[in-house]
Amino acid sequence: MAKVAFIGLGVMGYPMAGHLKTKGGHDVTVYNRTTAKAEKWASEFGGNFAKTPKEAAEGCDFVFACVGNDDDLRSVTTGADGAFHGLKKGAIFIDNTTASAEVARELYAAAGEKGCGFIDAPVSGGQAGAENGALTVMCGGDQDAFDKAKPFIECFAKFAGLMGESGAGQLTKMVNQICIAGLVQGLSEAIHFAKKADLDVAKVISAIKGGAAQSWQMENRWETMNEGKFDYGFAVDWMRKDLGICLKTANETGARLPVTALVDQFYAEVQAMGGKRWDTSSLIARLENADKS
């Protein structure tokens, strides 16, 4: 058993922290901006809660965070009462936020100055993956820190791998989001086309899902997309945040992402339709909305 802190109890962080307590058996202290949620978590899982990230991190061997964006991450680490002010020497900070590679490298350096480790470790698998302890975790940082952190990460993961040096985890998550953007748009167009051609969508999917067109998105989202139900996962607002990071990084590295840029704009149209909190499969709603115009 180790002393662990978890900062950020959103739809992902809440169950992830829970797995560290129930599956890992660790002494877990949580922090959340809304104290009531931290109190609820502590009551549900039998852990502790702190009033600041610094207080949560004090004396801990491992500190996890899963917050919204780069600015949120800086706030809970190096900001006033941030966790880095409470880290003991030798502690390892594992960041599960989807953020930029730039902030990962910045915080890796800041942690190193304190004699601590830092792993950027964004996750994929959505709310269901977090709740089931079946996330994919893409890590960047030093091998030694990763080896120490891996057993703890595995409390909520089906896969945890070191992709390279600091920032490599975030860059790998960008690759993941680029793939998803194109896949969801392709599936949206396919279902939309099938409907327009008066095909039975269920029969079509049954015929093609075992071949080269198969994807996780098809397997898990075609039916809800066909029914116009979009409350099954990662929100459009968050996808646009992630794609913004991808496009900014692509501009810096010279990578060309024409499809990703186009899909990002399609998501902006979904937001304008009122779909900010719809899940990412809602791209099909944009196509069907055009029919009504």
Side-chain angles (χ1 to χ4, degrees), residues 98-147:
T98 295
S100 68
E102 178 184 11
V103 75
R105 294 171 187 135
E106 173 189 318
L107 295 179
Y108 169 85
E113 290 175 2
K114 293 179 172 293
C116 300
F118 181 90
I119 302 289
D120 52 290
V123 303
S124 179
Q127 184 176 346
E131 291 171 350
N132 295 325
L135 293 169
T136 293
V137 187
M138 302 151 271
C139 302
D142 297 333
Q143 186 72 54
D144 181 61
F146 172 74
D147 290 341

Side-chain angles (χ1 to χ4, degrees), residues 165-244:
E165 61 187 17
S166 180
Q170 296 296 354
L171 291 168
T172 302
K173 179 62 184 287
M174 293 176 211
V175 174
N176 185 78
Q177 302 305 73
I178 291 165
C179 288
I180 290 173
L183 284 168
V184 176
Q185 177 61 20
L187 181 58
S188 297
E189 292 182 14
I191 294 173
H192 177 68
F193 177 88
K195 286 182 173 182
K196 285 293 189 181
D198 293 325
L199 291 170
D200 183 319
V201 176
K203 287 183 178 179
V204 170
I205 298 296
S206 179
I208 69 173
K209 70 178 183 180
Q214 191 276 339
S215 69
W216 185 97
Q217 298 294 336
M218 179 181 289
E219 198 72 35
N220 291 275
R221 291 289 178 264
W222 80 264
E223 192 167 5
T224 52
M225 290 169 73
N226 191 43
E227 294 171 354
K229 298 177 180 178
F230 308 121
D231 56 351
Y232 291 89
F234 195 62
V236 168
D237 275 355
W238 291 116
M239 186 59 155
R240 285 218 71 206
K241 183 264 291 187
D242 290 0
L243 294 182

